[in-house]
Each structure stands twice: as C-alpha cells, then as structure tokens.
C-alpha cells in the first residue's frame, strides 16, 4: 500500500480533522443567531455550522491527500473518481438536534481504500465522545476498546430508530414498523444522529438500531465501528435509500426478521 493509503496515517488524519470540525460545531452550538435553512422540506435542514464544518473538512482532506475522491452531504461528489481513497463525510449528523440545542450530534468521517471500509471516525463534541475503528483492528471510544452488548432477546433490548424526511407525504415512513416492533422491546429511542446510533450499538449503549432512507454519509463510519465491535450490520430492503439494521448478533437477527415480515 502506498504511503498516503497507510491506515494509521488515515486514522490520525481523520481524527484530527473530526476533532477540529467538532470545535466548529461548538462555536455555533446554542447560538441564538444560528442560521437554519430548509432543504427538501421543513424537516430537512442545514445550518452555518454544517457548511463551515464541511468546507473545513474537505479543505483539510484535499491538502493532506490530494488524490482523493470525496462524497460529502452538502456538496455531493468531488475530487478524483479514480482515486484509491474515498472519503465519505457527514459534516454534522444530527442537525435537527444541533439546531434545537440538543447535544446528540456528531461529525462522521469514513474512509474507503479501493472500495473497502477501512477507517471510521465519529466524534460527538458536546458529549466528548470520539469513536474510531480501523478494519480488522477493533473499535474504540476515547481510546478504550468497545464491544457490542450480549443481549439475547428483544424483550430486554433497547433499540433506536429514525424517520425519513419525507414522512409527511410518504406513508412508507417507518411508522408501521415502529408500531409493530416497539411493544416487543424494553425500550425504543429516537436519538437523532444515525452515525451515533451505530456507534452506540458498537459500545453496547444500544442493543440494536434500524432506519430507512439513509445516505452513505450517515453510515460509512458507523457501520465499520459497529462491525469492529462485534455487531452485525446489514440492509433490510433495497428500495428505500440505505435501509440499515444493526445490532448485537441475536438482536440483529430478531430485528431483521421483524423488518422482513413487512415493508
Ligand atoms: C439525519 C440524522 C437522523 C436520521 C436522518 C438523517 P442529518 O442526518 O442522522 O438521525 O434520522 O435520516 O438524515 O440530516 O442530521 O445529517
Ligand atoms: Ca446525516
Ligand atoms: Ca448532516
């Protein structure tokens, strides 16, 4: 592997960049003058912090790794599509929480080498939580190894989900799945940052997670972190964006079966 694809170099860069992007978030957090704009509809928003964090992250990546392909939420595809390195970025995951002054938000940076998930970093600056993983090397929270939970039954599982931005106009909006699955769980949560949901499965703070209509930038880092912590991750349907399910092995299996029963 050539030097700029060295996984340790990539990990250190992703962590440094995520930490600095988190500082940008914190500068705007609970600012009464924060600018909030609607994108697709009123449930799909972007703030100055998303945009500033994104331009900082992309600038840093391209100055350190000029031969990179980049996919980032607010600016889409960029860089060299033939590059071995592909950076998949959500500059601020959990913008609705952020815009409300709620602390569950993060920056998510996933790096693929030759199409394979290789490095994942998710940093939640207000919570002081830095999750990281390198393929084959385990997952860590603030430098300590993490493992998914060992829960066996849905009845003892605490699981998170989320709802798509077109929930007001499209009845295929996860409400029917939620109504069916929620009563079988110890608890259902809607935390509001898909990247953190996956990291919380990795750390055993959640036992499972499912959602529909996600994007690559929501899951690229978190799915590697979850897998490296022993959790399972998969797609539960092919026709609604990235519809992801993750969990400790037994909970993942039971959640997947529930989700297959009905779209
Ligand atoms: C959103 C969050 C949320 C999920 C949405 C995502 P954003 O990302 O991850 O938890 O339910 O589907 O779009 O817009 O805050 O980056
Ligand atoms: Ca997101
Ligand atoms: Ca985002």
């Amino acid at each position: 592997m050539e030097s700029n694809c060295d996984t340790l170099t990539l990990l250190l860069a992703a962590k440094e960049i995520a930490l600095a992007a988190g500082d940008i978030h914190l500068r705007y957090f609970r600012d009464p003058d924060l600018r909030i704009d609607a994108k697709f509809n009123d449930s799909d928003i972007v703030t100055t912090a998303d945009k500033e964090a994104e331009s900082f992250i992309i600038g840093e990546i391209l100055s350190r790794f000029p031969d990179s392909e980049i996919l980032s939420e607010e600016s889409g595809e960029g860089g060299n599509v033939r590059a071995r390195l592909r950076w998949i970025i959500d500059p601020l995951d959990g913008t609705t929480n952020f815009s409300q002054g709620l602390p569950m938000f993060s920056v998510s940076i996933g790096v693929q080498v030759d199409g394979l998930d290789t490095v994942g970093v998710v940093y939640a600056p207000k919570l002081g939580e830095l999750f990281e993983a390198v393929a084959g090397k385990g997952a860590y929270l603030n430098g300590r190894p993490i493992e998914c939970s060992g829960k066996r039954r849905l009845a003892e599982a605490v699981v998170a989900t989320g709802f798509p931005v077109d929930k007001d106009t499209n009845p295929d909006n996860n409400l029917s799945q939620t109504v069916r699955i929620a009563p079988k769980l110890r608890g259902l949560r809607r935390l509001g940052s898909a990247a953190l949901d996956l990291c919380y499965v990795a750390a055993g703070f959640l036992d499972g997670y499912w959602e529909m209509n996600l994007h690559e930038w929501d899951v690229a880092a978190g799915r590697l972190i979850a897998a490296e912590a022993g959790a399972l991750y998969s797609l539960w349907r092919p026709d609604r964006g990235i519809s992801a399910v993750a969990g400790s092995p037994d909970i993942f299996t039971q959640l997947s079966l529930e989700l297959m029963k009905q779209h």
Side-chain angles (χ1 to χ4, degrees), residues 42-45 92-102 104 192:
D42 284 338
S43 300
D44 188 21
I45 55 172
L92 203 172
D93 186 50
T95 302
T96 301
N97 283 344
F98 182 82
S99 72
Q100 292 289 122
L102 295 167
M104 309 287 297

Side-chain angles (χ1 to χ4, degrees), residues 73 90 93 218:
E73 179 171 12
D90 194 333
D93 186 50
D218 296 311

Side-chain angles (χ1 to χ4, degrees), residues 2 5 8 10 50 79-80 91 175 182 201 204-205 226 241 248 252 263:
E2 56 191 70
C5 294
L8 186 60
L10 293 169
D50 300 61
N80 172 14
L175 283 181
V201 168
F205 305 153
S248 315
F252 167 87
H263 273 176

